[in-house]
Amino acid sequence: MVTYTDFLHSAGLGLATGLALIVAIGAQNAFVLRQGIRGEHIVQVVAVCALSDAVLIAAGVLGTGALITAAPAAVVVLRYVGAAFLVTYGTMAARRALRPQTLTTSNESTHDGGAKRGVAAAVTTVLALTWLNPHVYLDIALLGSIASAQGTPLQWWFGAGAMLGSILWFCSLGFGARFLRGFFAKPLSWRFLDGGIAVTMVALGAGLALGT
């Protein structure tokens, strides 16, 4: 018989597992942090990240992770497409780092020609960073296997815990970044941030391309 304690245990395990998988330096987190510091479309970006994770986690609980691991060719294609995207985005970040004098934390202007990034561009970028990352699907396969081990109906409590972890993380990262705006009022700070993003993106892209 499933008890209330079992529900809480599965949900807590899902929360911890979900956080362990997403709380790491990566392309998606770097983009959310940057949007949060700039105060640009952060509600939409956080919502897309959380909803995307919810869909992926639900798919893992439903057993889609097993299908992903059974289709290695699809993962290979995603790996190279994702690698190309990451390297391209990393190159753009490196270009920004070389021009810190035009960077600003102001909501009215940016370093990209003085025009604020449109919401469509921000959403498209975060969607690509999320769905073109093959590591996401490997994480979903892992979540799915752990969820299935919980049994029915505890696997959905595990999934709910993982979804809650995603929501908490992206809200903290996106909305909490505003406390760093004073620090990033200096162009040099933006140079370090964009330089770090460039290195992270290119390294991740190279790792994907090389299969590491």
Side-chain angles (χ1 to χ4, degrees):
M1 178 179 177
V2 178
T3 66
Y4 181 71
T5 301
D6 293 328
F7 289 128
L8 290 180
H9 177 268
S10 292
L13 179 61
L15 175 65
T17 305
L19 287 173
L21 292 175
I22 65 174
V23 180
I25 297 174
Q28 184 190 51
N29 286 339
F31 182 77
V32 175
L33 175 63
R34 194 170 193 284
Q35 290 296 112
I37 292 171
R38 292 164 61 86
E40 286 188 11
H41 316 301
I42 192 60
V43 173
Q44 293 91 331
V45 168
V46 168
V48 168
C49 290
L51 287 174
S52 293
D53 269 13
V55 171
L56 289 165
I57 291 168
V61 174
L62 287 170
T64 307
L67 295 178
I68 293 171
T69 56
V75 176
V76 170
V77 171
L78 281 171
R79 189 177 79 193
Y80 287 112
V81 173
F85 182 84
L86 289 173
V87 171
T88 300
Y89 192 89
T91 302
M92 293 170 60
R95 181 171 174 269
R96 292 194 302 265
L98 294 175
R99 294 167 40 188
Q101 71 278 3
T102 57
L103 294 176
T104 176
T105 56
S106 169
N107 287 340
E108 288 75 27
S109 60
T110 73
H111 58 285
D112 297 321
K116 185 176 180 179
R117 177 192 292 269
V119 62
V123 168
T124 299
T125 299
V126 77
L127 282 172
L129 290 172
T130 301
W131 292 89
L132 291 181
N133 180 8
H135 289 165
V136 166
Y137 300 97
L138 298 178
D139 289 345
I140 292 311
L142 174 61
L143 280 173
S145 64
I146 299 175
S148 64
Q150 304 301 303
T152 304
L154 293 179
Q155 74 270 31
W156 287 109
W157 284 84
F158 175 90
M163 292 177 191
L164 177 60
S166 174
I167 294 171
L168 292 175
W169 169 249
F170 287 118
C171 285
S172 299
L173 185 64
F175 296 111
R178 64 189 180 88
F179 295 108
L180 298 175
R181 287 179 187 170
F183 176 74
F184 283 98
K186 301 177 180 180
L188 183 61
S189 300
W190 279 103
R191 166 170 279 178
F192 281 120
L193 176 64
D194 279 322
I197 290 176
V199 172
T200 299
M201 298 288 190
V202 173
L204 289 173
L208 285 179
L210 296 175
T212 58

